[in-house]
Amino acid sequence: MFNIKNTLKTKKALLAFLVPSIMLQQAQADEQSEPTVTLETITVNVSGKAKEEVGEKIVNRKELNQQMVQSSADLVRYNTEVDVAYGGGNRSGNKGFAVRGVDGNRVNMNIDGISLPESETNEIFSPYGYMYEGRFNPDIEIMQSVRIHAGSDSLLNGSGAVGGSVTYNTKDPKSLIRSGNKLGGYVKTGYTNKNEEWMQAVGLAANLDKWEFLINYAHREGHETKNHDMKKANKAKVDPGYIFSAEEMPDRYSTKSLIYPNPLNFKRDSAIAKLYYNLNNQHRLGIHGMYQKQTNDINSQSTATYGSRLSSSIRMAHDKEKMESYGVSYRFTPENMPWLEMVDANYTHNKVFGLADTWLYDRKINSSTEQVESSNKEYRPTETKTDQFTIQLKTLPILLNKFGDHTFGVRSSYAKQDYTTSASYFGQYGQFLQFAFPDAKKHNFNLTLTDDIYLSQRLQGSLGLRYDNFRYSPYFQDDVFGMSENKRNADLCSNSYNNTLFCQRYRNGEGLSKTKFNHVTWSAALNYAIIPEKLTARYKVGTGFLAPTVTQLYSNFEGLGARQVPNYQLKPETSLNQELEFNWNVKDNLLLTAGGYITKYDDFIHTRYWTTPTNGCTGGYTCLQSVNLDDATVHGLKLGVKADLSNALKLGGKLNVFADFHT
């Protein structure tokens, strides 16, 4: 959802003082000492912090631990440009991140370069929250760093980075091993009061001559996030037979009068494993795997359709979110090639499963008793399988005389994605909800060229160009109960609804039309030291895009007084982002930052509603269709200060403080 109005309201200044974190850890891994370089008798510390670009924030493992980051909300706690996006009534976790006024699919999320599935939002069922529409959120504990980029970022991450991107980088064996050691590991436990969440984690890694390996496991259990009352969670409430007290539900016959968050019990297990074999100093082979599963048991009575125990069933959710990923990799780092730094190739298979599993219980209420009588089931899973092949090449700096030093990069990948969804109602009469939700195979080939330019100590720059080719091939699959969508839809079109818009399109094969398009993305940046080591100006301009989702292109559901009309001519959303930033080192321990940006968006994908008998819409129905709208513009201002007060206060260590403002 695009929400300029709320985002453009001035955010209050964020002032945060980093204090020592108390964590129960052992033998430690992620807070390892910085790597060192020894030159004769001189030892120099080398910072492990990656260089940040304009609009970018990289949170490494040390900072994740210091800030005790346990969730997506914790991750952006100190970032005034980014927040977590939640959908009203959506019980499938959050919808990713909101960056400078855009959220949801307009912010790319990926793990080690593999894009996570987009949210396939169904406009008709979204208000009820009974379909899986969340974005998969990987567990922070198995991550080595997280890169958060505000502004167009499609050069690196492709579709979805129209407003920004969040890149999760998983741990590798060296993440858990202190400098100079061959083995490393840790044990950790933690507790979060706001949702009574317990976390336990363990990790082990080794670097044994030619072999390197890592294994990391984390487990979490918790409940709903508390409101202002901080009322303690009660597992018994996640039971259809539980009767809420008068305090919890003032109106005995209306579930909408519930005043506390919906009771929730959740469990999450996540694990990552990597194994590398170094044939020699130049060639390395590797295999990797990742697994995460979360189950949610939710009492969602407060969101019942009618909100009354007498007029609607009690809804209990048993939702699930799961990711399985594995792959192989190869890296070549030549020793005798003066122009080539490395070649990296990998293949990854990634499967993300999201399930909205709702059980409906009917109750019988009299003057003194309340009893559960029967149950039905709404089982609505989605699954996205991705197979991605990637190869990238990076050169060493190549001297071009007066044109400076150039470091070139080439990256190409091919991703094949299969998206499927099943939405069925399986009750005591074996009935099915007979509507069409599209499935599709998506193919994406892309090629990226980059050039990092060093002209002088005062002037550096970069250029980049990317080409994307997309192809969509929709089809009908068998549903989870063995009945094919093809047969269900054919049966539907043979009854009293056989003159509906959907059946006409279905007979003509219009629901299976293929779609394809190309897109070019570019980016340029310039850094100039106005006053060397004192005042620096940084400017960046770049473009982004968002490809339409399968639902937006092909959905043709008809029922409940509404009709969805496909739009095969839907175009990608695009953005152009320009940003200028000044950094002033007032003293060695004081840095001031000021910057501004302007982002222009075109061809927004939005849902259009109409009731007049046009474009196949007949009387008595509300029709809806995804369409491209006009442009929009977002502009903002950022101010920041970072300081080390340890010298001024004559402290032995460091006392870092910072304050950021964004409007």
Side-chain angles (χ1 to χ4, degrees):
M1 178 179 293
F2 186 74
N3 192 348
I4 296 179
K5 182 178 179 181
N6 291 336
T7 305
L8 289 185
K9 291 181 178 178
T10 301
K11 293 186 178 179
K12 295 182 178 179
L14 168 65
L15 179 62
F17 294 90
L18 299 183
V19 297
S21 303
I22 300 175
M23 306 188 71
L24 302 178
Q25 298 186 53
Q26 221 175 14
Q28 237 30 295
D30 26 61
E31 291 192 17
Q32 60 189 14
S33 15
E34 301 287 2
T36 60
V37 176
T38 303
L39 301 174
E40 296 179 350
T41 58
I42 302 175
T43 300
V44 181
N45 285 330
V46 180
S47 174
K49 180 79 170 181
K51 184 179 179 181
E52 296 176 344
E53 297 181 356
V54 179
E56 184 176 77
K57 174 63 177 175
I58 298 175
V59 189
N60 60 26
R61 185 69 250 174
K62 185 176 181 179
E63 292 170 318
L64 292 171
N65 285 341
Q66 287 177 337
Q67 299 173 16
M68 294 189 285
V69 175
Q70 302 296 320
S71 64
S72 299
D74 294 341
L75 178 64
V76 296
R77 182 193 296 131
Y78 301 123
N79 194 323
T80 57
E81 299 178 84
V82 185
D83 206 343
V84 176
Y86 293 94
N90 177 48
R91 71 191 192 197
S92 307
N94 61 58
K95 291 193 173 184
F97 296 86
V99 180
R100 294 180 179 175
V102 295
D103 60 13
N105 294 339
R106 295 185 176 100
V107 179
N108 177 280
M109 296 173 60
N110 66 89
I111 301 179
D112 294 334
I114 308 297
S115 290
L116 291 169
E118 299 164 320
S119 173
E120 293 279 353
T121 301
N122 180 277
E123 300 286 352
I124 297 176
F125 287 91
S126 290
Y128 305 102
Y130 301 136
M131 290 198 68
Y132 179 82
E133 295 178 359
R135 299 289 299 274
F136 182 85
N137 285 266
D139 198 296
I140 296 295
E141 186 56 35
I142 60 177
M143 300 300 153
Q144 176 60 20
S145 66
V146 184
R147 172 186 175 271
I148 304 171
H149 192 281
S152 306
D153 192 29
S154 286
L155 179 71
L156 294 179
N157 295 306
S159 175
V162 66
S165 65
V166 178
T167 298
Y168 295 90
N169 297 301
T170 57
K171 294 178 181 176
D172 59 29
K174 294 179 181 178
S175 304
L176 303 188
I177 303 175
R178 290 180 181 272
S179 179
N181 293 344
K182 291 188 175 182
L183 293 173
Y186 78 105
V187 176
K188 179 192 289 187
T189 187
Y191 176 74
T192 305
N193 185 44
K194 64 183 178 182
N195 63 343
E196 299 183 38
E197 175 186 318
W198 280 99
M199 185 274 290
Q200 297 85 33
V202 60
L204 179 66
N207 186 356
L208 307 172
D209 297 325
K210 293 188 175 184
W211 292 94
E212 300 174 58
F213 80 83
L214 158 77
I215 184 167
N216 199 178
Y217 168 77
H219 174 77
R220 299 178 189 270
E221 289 189 38
H223 303 279
E224 69 274 10
T225 301
K226 303 171 184 177
N227 62 6
H228 66 282
D229 226 10
M230 294 299 288
K231 192 177 183 66
K232 187 175 178 61
N234 182 357
K235 290 185 178 181
K237 293 181 181 180
V238 187
D239 187 300
Y242 181 83
I243 300 177
F244 289 98
S245 66
E247 176 197 356
E248 298 167 319
M249 192 174 75
D251 185 346
R252 183 189 177 200
Y253 297 102
S254 176
T255 57
K256 290 187 180 298
S257 69
L258 286 165
I259 62 175
Y260 293 103
N262 287 342
L264 162 68
N265 298 334
F266 76 86
K267 294 182 180 180
R268 177 195 290 175
D269 293 284
S270 55
I272 185 171
K274 294 183 179 181
L275 176 66
Y276 298 111
Y277 176 67
N278 297 286
L279 283 73
N280 49 47
N281 292 334
Q282 299 184 76
H283 302 275
R284 188 188 77 173
L285 300 174
I287 59 175
H288 56 270
M290 183 162 53
Y291 174 84
Q292 181 172 311
K293 178 182 178 181
Q294 178 167 322
T295 56
N296 302 319
D297 293 323
I298 312 169
N299 185 333
S300 55
Q301 292 188 53
S302 66
T303 56
T305 307
Y306 301 103
S308 169
R309 291 182 176 177
L310 297 180
S311 58
S312 67
S313 300
I314 300 165
R315 292 179 177 264
M316 310 295 292
H318 305 282
D319 298 342
K320 183 185 300 183
E321 188 179 67
K322 182 170 66 173
M323 184 184 75
E324 298 170 329
S325 179
Y326 59 83
V328 295
S329 64
Y330 165 72
R331 174 167 292 181
F332 173 53
T333 51
E335 295 180 341
N336 301 313
M337 298 182 69
W339 61 275
L340 181 62
E341 179 180 347
M342 69 90 180
V343 176
D344 187 90
N346 67 74
Y347 159 76
T348 299
H349 172 82
N350 185 285
K351 182 171 71 173
V352 177
F353 175 82
L355 170 63
D357 187 4
T358 307
W359 289 79
L360 289 79
Y361 297 86
D362 297 324
R363 273 181 166 165
K364 181 179 180 181
I365 302 177
N366 56 36
S367 58
S368 59
T369 62
E370 186 169 351
Q371 181 179 359
V372 175
E373 289 197 332
S374 62
S375 65
N376 296 323
K377 182 179 182 180
E378 294 176 352
Y379 188 85
R380 295 168 179 165
T382 66
E383 186 174 77
T384 303
K385 297 179 182 178
T386 303
D387 291 279
Q388 179 168 309
F389 302 85
T390 303
I391 184 169
Q392 57 182 333
L393 175 152
K394 184 178 180 181
T395 71
L396 292 167
I398 299 174
L399 180 61
L400 298 179
N401 298 321
K402 64 179 181 180
F403 295 104
D405 296 348
H406 295 255
T407 302
F408 297 100
V410 180
R411 184 180 186 273
S412 181
S413 69
Y414 169 74
K416 181 177 68 174
Q417 190 177 87
D418 189 0
Y419 167 77
T420 58
T421 178
S422 298
S424 53
Y425 175 93
F426 188 68
Q428 56 188 349
Y429 302 108
Q431 297 171 328
F432 292 87
L433 288 180
Q434 299 177 335
F435 45 76
F437 285 109
D439 311 301
K441 296 184 185 296
K442 300 166 64 175
H443 303 264
N444 171 233
F445 167 78
N446 60 76
L447 175 65
T448 304
L449 307 175
T450 59
D451 180 13
D452 292 328
I453 308 168
Y454 181 89
L455 295 172
S456 68
Q457 191 172 3
R458 296 180 66 179
L459 182 61
Q460 301 89 39
S462 66
L463 296 170
L465 185 69
R466 176 182 173 122
Y467 167 78
D468 279 271
N469 175 273
F470 283 86
R471 290 182 292 121
Y472 293 71
S473 300
Y475 68 97
F476 290 127
Q477 61 145 345
D478 292 348
D479 79 351
V480 293
F481 295 105
M483 180 179 288
S484 69
E485 262 187 81
N486 198 33
K487 184 178 187 307
R488 284 192 293 152
N489 294 328
D491 290 346
L492 176 64
C493 291
S494 66
N495 62 22
S496 58
Y497 296 96
N498 60 2
N499 291 321
T500 62
L501 171 65
F502 163 68
C503 291
Q504 294 169 10
R505 292 184 178 275
Y506 181 77
R507 292 193 190 96
N508 295 334
E510 295 180 34
L512 300 177
S513 299
K514 295 183 178 181
T515 303
K516 59 181 179 180
F517 61 87
N518 304 313
H519 194 82
V520 175
T521 307
W522 57 270
S523 176
L526 195 66
N527 296 344
Y528 179 67
I530 301 173
I531 303 176
E533 300 182 0
K534 280 292 184 180
L535 180 62
T536 302
R538 304 198 298 170
Y539 171 76
K540 184 176 182 180
V541 57
T543 60
F545 76 100
L546 170 63
T549 66
V550 175
T551 304
Q552 290 168 340
L553 285 167
Y554 302 114
S555 261
N556 47 16
F557 165 75
E558 181 171 304
L560 304 178
R563 288 177 176 168
Q564 286 181 304
V565 181
N567 186 356
Y568 311 126
Q569 284 71 49
L570 205 58
K571 297 183 295 184
E573 296 183 6
T574 60
S575 65
L576 173 65
N577 182 75
Q578 298 185 71
E579 189 160 353
L580 179 63
E581 182 179 280
F582 295 93
N583 295 316
W584 181 21
N585 287 295
V586 181
K587 297 180 180 179
D588 291 339
N589 55 4
L590 178 61
L591 173 66
L592 302 180
T593 302
Y597 62 86
I598 181 169
T599 307
K600 183 177 180 180
Y601 298 92
D602 287 305
D603 294 321
F604 269 119
I605 299 176
H606 183 74
T607 303
R608 179 172 66 98
Y609 297 86
W610 74 96
T611 56
T612 56
T614 57
N615 296 329
C617 190
T618 58
Y621 277 89
T622 297
C623 289
L624 57 153
Q625 183 184 47
S626 295
V627 296
N628 293 107
L629 292 183
D630 296 332
D631 57 26
T633 302
V634 176
H635 49 86
L637 173 69
K638 304 183 297 179
L639 301 172
V641 56
K642 295 180 181 179
D644 178 6
L645 302 182
S646 56
N647 291 335
L649 299 178
K650 297 181 180 181
L651 301 175
K654 284 184 175 293
L655 177 61
N656 295 318
V657 300
F658 67 87
D660 291 319
F661 172 81
H662 172 224
T663 181

